[in-house]
């Protein structure tokens, strides 16, 4: 198997948030938060999960700042409970300043969702797209009444 460095000559140190926060001044057309939630904790006695501090207002803000003028932030999230979806949705809404567009990513499996935000994801245009109309998940998005996840309270699966 060929080395990834041949195709992607980056030396990464730290995690994705560190890269976004301290990386060069590059602007990205798309940043994807995809399948980050492992649904596993470090131990059975812990509430610290691998995905904590990823789906927070601060994390989304850092990513949105790194987008190109027409860039899109796409966030995939699988939720067990509607309130989990609301926490993540509200965090992205607060970071973006506008409501993200939410669609089902696997058709009828309503718990697997993708949220789109950023300057290249205007709601009015996306909501008119045939795929978005067919797979729209806006009934699950919440109304800003649930506090968003933050770096001070990033626990997606604790209520």
């Amino acid at each position: 198997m060929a080395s990834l460095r041949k195709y992607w000559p980056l030396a990464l140190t730290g995690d994705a948030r560190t890269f976004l926060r301290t990386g060069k001044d590059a602007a990205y057309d798309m940043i994807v938060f995809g399948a980050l939630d492992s649904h596993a904790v470090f131990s059975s006695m812990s509430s610290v999960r691998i995905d904590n501090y990823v789906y927070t207002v601060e994390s989304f803000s850092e990513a949105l700042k790194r987008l190109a003028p027409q860039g899109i932030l796409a966030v995939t999230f699988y939720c067990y409970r509607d309130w989990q979806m609301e926490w993540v949705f509200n965090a992205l809404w607060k970071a973006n300043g506008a409501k993200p567009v939410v669609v089902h990513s696997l058709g009828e499996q309503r718990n697997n969702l993708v949220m789109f935000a950023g300057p290249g994801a205007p709601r009015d245009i996306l909501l008119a797209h045939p795929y978005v109309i067919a797979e729209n998940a806006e009934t699950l998005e919440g109304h800003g009444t649930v506090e968003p996840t933050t770096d001070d309270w990033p626990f997606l699966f604790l209520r």
Side-chain angles (χ1 to χ4, degrees):
M1 179 179 274
S3 171
L4 286 178
R5 292 200 184 278
K6 178 179 176 183
Y7 303 103
W8 188 10
L10 289 176
L12 295 178
T13 56
D15 62 8
R17 280 191 70 178
T18 302
F19 176 78
L20 288 172
R21 185 172 42 249
T22 61
K24 304 285 185 225
D25 292 329
Y28 298 97
D29 293 331
M30 180 174 268
I31 297 175
V32 179
F33 284 50
L36 299 174
D37 42 348
S38 66
H39 302 294
V41 294
F42 288 109
S43 82
S44 62
M45 302 304 290
S46 174
S47 63
V48 179
R49 296 171 47 95
I50 293 171
D51 50 357
N52 286 342
Y53 300 101
V54 173
Y55 296 105
T56 66
V57 173
E58 294 84 355
S59 177
F60 292 145
S61 293
E62 291 165 0
L64 288 161
K65 288 176 189 172
R66 298 300 300 272
L67 290 174
Q70 291 300 309
I72 297 172
L73 177 60
V75 178
T76 300
F77 187 73
Y78 180 91
C79 60
Y80 291 109
R81 306 272 190 256
D82 288 348
W83 52 267
Q84 293 165 334
M85 168 59 184
E86 287 188 59
W87 274 355
V88 176
F89 178 87
N90 290 341
L92 186 53
W93 183 0
K94 185 170 184 178
N96 189 48
K99 290 174 94 173
V101 172
V102 183
V103 295
H104 297 279
S105 64
L106 298 174
E108 295 300 316
Q109 296 180 5
R110 74 178 207 98
N111 292 348
N112 202 51
L113 304 165
V114 180
M115 294 171 268
F116 297 99
R123 281 182 62 81
D124 55 338
I125 293 171
L126 286 179
L127 290 175
H129 190 279
Y131 178 82
V132 174
I133 292 169
E135 299 299 332
N136 194 305
E138 293 217 338
T139 59
L140 301 176
E141 72 186 20
H143 305 285
T145 57
V146 175
E147 286 296 316
T149 48
T150 66
D151 284 353
D152 291 332
W153 184 259
F155 308 111
L156 292 170
F157 299 92
L158 295 178
R159 193 161 192 193

